[in-house]
Amino acid sequence: SGVRIPPSPSFLRKRPFGYLSSAREPDPLSMSVSAFVRITRPHNAVVAGFTALIGYLVATGTLILPSLLLAAVVALITAAGNVINDVYDIDIDRINRPDRPIPSGAISLSGAKIYAVALFAGGIALATLTTALCLLIALANALILILYAAWLKRTPGIGNVAVAYLTASVFLFGGAFAGIEGLIQNISLAAIAFLATLAREILKDAEDVDGDAAGGARTLPMIVGIRRTGLFAFACACGAVLASLLPSGDWWGPFYLAAIAVVDIIILAGAARGVRCTTPDCVRESRATSILRAGMFAALAVFAVAAVT
């Protein structure tokens, strides 16, 4: 008839498990295993676990075999937080991310809930093998992750603070494995992580104002405006710089001060780019959030090297 059938959309051609393919479909068991791995966002969980080890390294200047428990605890609780987040986001994901394990049917909602409980329980069980201080932080963070998924992330400002705390607390958790002294050693790093993450999170919300408004979300930039959000982010960055100068570690000295000065310039430069913006497009084009992220990684490297040397 001369009617041309258009090719399938890319999102259909790329569906997992051999969709629209003549190849033999994978075994259902392997699909389940793959889905249970994907829903934890393994890369995110592993990086969080590695960060806890860096926290212990900064606090003590060395690593010991038992410190691997820290990585396991943080990875499991982070994975549990990612799963519970998907449980509460199922209605949104059915529209925006139908390929995710729960809306795609690879994992049932009840199965995901049980999986989250098991991961939380596993992480807390391992935390009992660390120290009382570490266990307290692990329990608090598990509770905050649940509250974040259920309520906090939909609360303007408070959700950003929760994310910033959870990021910073990993360094406190690592230090706490060496006792209260180790936790105190990591206060400066945790303060930098908290303030820089808070600056980055609210600038990310400023980038997403249009999409959030269309989705019915209510974020801090939508309430106070993008310009004021940029100013608040810059104030947080200034706070991070001041925290980096606190003489709270045995490694505080000329090398540390010279190296952290470079990091401080990066953090301030990133936040300053957001100050001049009044639109979401401007914040995205400024790359302020990417620069702040680079500054945070650079600060972590400086603290680790200073602690070892």
Side-chain angles (χ1 to χ4, degrees), residues 3-96:
V3 177
R4 184 173 177 272
I5 300 175
S8 301
S10 61
F11 77 92
L12 288 178
R13 294 199 301 272
K14 295 179 181 178
R15 291 282 288 226
F17 317 135
Y19 190 86
L20 294 184
S21 170
S22 60
R24 191 171 68 88
E25 294 185 359
D27 181 80
L29 180 60
S30 67
M31 287 192 290
S32 298
V33 170
S34 172
F36 276 101
V37 171
R38 280 193 300 121
I39 197 172
T40 64
R41 297 177 185 54
H43 175 74
N44 177 273
V46 169
V47 168
F50 178 74
T51 302
L53 289 179
I54 297 297
Y56 182 78
L57 176 65
V58 169
T60 65
T62 187
L63 288 174
I64 57 176
L65 190 60
S67 65
L68 292 176
L69 274 172
L70 301 173
V73 171
V74 172
L76 285 171
I77 292 179
T78 300
N82 289 333
V83 175
I84 202 69
N85 195 65
D86 276 14
V87 167
Y88 279 95
D89 280 355
I90 182 170
D91 291 332
I92 296 172
D93 286 345
R94 282 190 178 119
I95 300 170
N96 296 332

Side-chain angles (χ1 to χ4, degrees), residues 276-294:
R276 60 183 175 81
C277 291
T278 57
T279 65
D281 286 341
C282 175
V283 179
R284 281 191 294 270
E285 292 167 3
S286 73
R287 301 184 65 250
T289 57
S290 297
I291 295 171
L292 281 169
R293 182 181 178 86

Side-chain angles (χ1 to χ4, degrees), residues 137-154:
I137 294 173
L139 287 169
N141 285 13
L143 176 60
I144 291 171
L145 281 166
I146 294 170
L147 291 175
Y148 177 78
W151 171 63
L152 293 178
K153 68 180 175 183
R154 297 173 182 84

Side-chain angles (χ1 to χ4, degrees), residues 140-194:
N141 285 13
L143 176 60
I144 291 171
L145 281 166
I146 294 170
L147 291 175
Y148 177 78
W151 171 63
L152 293 178
K153 68 180 175 183
R154 297 173 182 84
T155 307
I158 297 179
N160 303 125
V161 171
V163 172
Y165 160 75
L166 289 167
T167 301
S169 69
V170 176
F171 300 110
L172 298 178
F173 179 77
F177 194 53
I180 188 67
E181 298 83 2
L183 186 148
I184 292 172
Q185 284 273 80
N186 283 8
I187 286 178
S188 290
L189 179 55
I192 294 170
F194 175 83

